[in-house]
Amino acid sequence: MLNRIYVALIHYPILKKDGSIVSTAVTNFDIHDISRTCRAYNIKNFFLVSNLPSQQKIVDRVLEYWTKGFGSEYNPNRKDALDIFKMESYLEDVISVIEETELEKPKIVFTSAKPRKNVIRFDELSRKIRECESPFLILFGTGWGMPEEIREITDYDLEPIRINSDFNHLSVRAAVAITLDRLIGEQVFHE
């Protein structure tokens, strides 16, 4: 069911290089670029998850500029893309919002650039998304990735995009775009 897919960009909890848990900084580009990608693939909502009030204020200012300020007139497409954007403090809040909307818990998909065992291939997950009646929530991390505690609550662990590359450090914006294209592709326009 391609009309019940959600994406979340996690800024907390996130791994620091040394393995400790931190909150990462929000970037302006992630907000509107990932919103644009999600809108292009008919994602129901793009959530940004940050527990820091100071980071939430930055997001509010970016949204204000692109949805009500000069940016909304200068680039109306960006305003349209941001209609699907939502901000929440914690992943649990995102899951609750989706449960309230869909009346069931979403199937949750973990992503990471790190090699791992027991991952699902893109083609397999694409088939499951098309065949399953449940909503799907695809999680993307920032910093050095999402911690194990998040992976443990997910239903699927998606293979890395460049599993055999000697350099696997795509921007999260690129990773979201590639992932959605591999999972949805042109099918979004034919169903």
Side-chain angles (χ1 to χ4, degrees):
M1 299 286 292
L2 296 176
N3 61 349
R4 297 175 79 194
I5 302 173
Y6 297 82
V7 166
L9 179 62
I10 309 298
H11 284 276
Y12 177 82
I14 286 297
L15 295 173
K16 192 174 166 183
K17 190 174 184 178
D18 67 7
S20 60
I21 300 292
V22 296
S23 293
T24 53
V26 171
T27 69
N28 179 13
F29 289 119
D30 286 349
I31 297 167
H32 52 76
D33 282 359
I34 295 174
S35 290
R36 289 162 54 197
T37 297
C38 288
R39 178 71 176 82
Y41 286 92
N42 289 340
I43 299 305
K44 198 157 188 180
N45 286 119
F46 162 46
F47 293 91
L48 186 140
V49 178
S50 178
N51 67 327
L52 299 177
S54 60
Q55 294 296 298
Q56 293 171 359
K57 285 180 186 174
I58 291 169
V59 173
D60 289 340
R61 284 197 303 266
V62 170
L63 291 176
E64 178 77 19
Y65 177 81
W66 288 112
T67 62
K68 296 178 183 149
F70 174 75
S72 67
E73 294 175 21
Y74 179 74
N75 190 341
N77 285 337
R78 199 160 291 179
K79 178 181 177 180
D80 180 37
L82 287 166
D83 283 346
I84 65 167
F85 179 87
K86 292 181 183 290
M87 184 171 44
E88 295 294 340
S89 296
Y90 300 98
L91 176 56
E92 294 83 359
D93 299 330
V94 172
I95 295 167
S96 293
V97 168
I98 295 171
E99 282 181 306
E100 289 172 20
T101 302
E102 301 289 349
L103 303 178
E104 66 179 299
K105 183 179 179 206
K107 301 285 186 191
I108 303 173
V109 180
F110 183 88
T111 66
S112 175
K114 298 171 189 165
R116 311 170 306 287
K117 294 183 184 205
N118 303 318
V119 294
I120 188 169
R121 291 189 337 255
F122 279 95
D123 60 332
E124 293 176 271
L125 184 59
S126 178
R127 183 179 48 76
K128 287 184 182 295
I129 289 171
R130 284 172 172 69
E131 293 173 356
C132 185
E133 296 291 325
S134 296
F136 277 77
L137 170 60
I138 306 169
L139 307 178
F140 293 90
T142 54
W144 289 85
M146 295 177 283
E148 186 66 19
E149 67 191 55
I150 290 181
R151 191 167 74 90
E152 289 172 358
I153 67 160
T154 63
D155 299 284
Y156 301 104
D157 188 354
L158 186 60
E159 68 181 333
I161 291 171
R162 304 265 309 149
I163 197 162
N164 295 318
S165 174
D166 65 341
F167 184 82
N168 191 6
H169 195 66
L170 293 168
S171 71
V172 72
R173 295 179 300 282
V176 170
I178 292 166
T179 298
L180 293 180
D181 194 68
R182 287 186 181 178
L183 294 177
I184 298 169
E186 293 298 315
Q187 292 300 312
V188 72
F189 304 107
H190 301 295
E191 293 191 5

